[in-house]
Amino acid sequence: MLRVLTEQERAEALARLPGWTYEPTRDAITKSFRFTDFVEAWGFMSRVAILAEKADHHPEWFNVYNRVDVLLTTHDCTGLSARDVALAQAMEAVAG
Ligand SMILES: C[C@H](O)[C@H](O)[C@H]1CNC2=NC(N)=NC(=O)C2=N1
């Protein structure tokens, strides 16, 4: 059952997600990634897009040149869920 995380669950998740920040106005987590150049940033987005589609869970993101700003929240339960944490972990693996 898709549900928002408790504060405790959220704190535990963020402790294992270096560089991610909690955004209370959206009940979301955010991170700004920096890559070598646009091609690296776009490669990151391409790989994450495939994983997101496979998981049926998609980021809200903004890209300009080598920067990718990411916000993760779950629209179906209007808040932060385990799916967001899983996608953040996948992004960390892709970013390296
Ligand atoms: C119909 C489709 O399965 C849903 O809209 C999925 C798509 N991707 C999604 N992505 C995110 N971030 N939250 C959702 O609730 C969500 N729901």
Side-chain angles (χ1 to χ4, degrees), residues 18-89:
W20 290 80
T21 304
Y22 180 58
E23 173 47 64
T25 64
R26 294 286 312 274
D27 193 17
I29 54 175
T30 65
K31 181 168 183 175
S32 187
F33 290 87
R34 291 288 185 289
F35 297 93
T36 310
D37 53 27
F38 176 73
V39 170
E40 289 301 311
W42 190 258
F44 168 79
M45 294 178 81
S46 299
R47 291 175 64 189
V48 169
I50 293 165
L51 298 176
E53 188 58 17
K54 202 177 295 183
D56 190 30
H57 196 71
H58 305 84
E60 297 178 23
W61 48 9
F62 167 84
N63 161 247
V64 56
Y65 186 55
N66 67 327
R67 174 176 148 204
V68 181
D69 295 341
V70 175
L71 183 144
L72 301 179
T73 192
T74 302
H75 311 127
D76 291 345
C77 64
T78 320
L80 190 69
S81 76
R83 294 182 182 178
D84 300 306
V85 175
L87 185 53
Q89 289 166 339

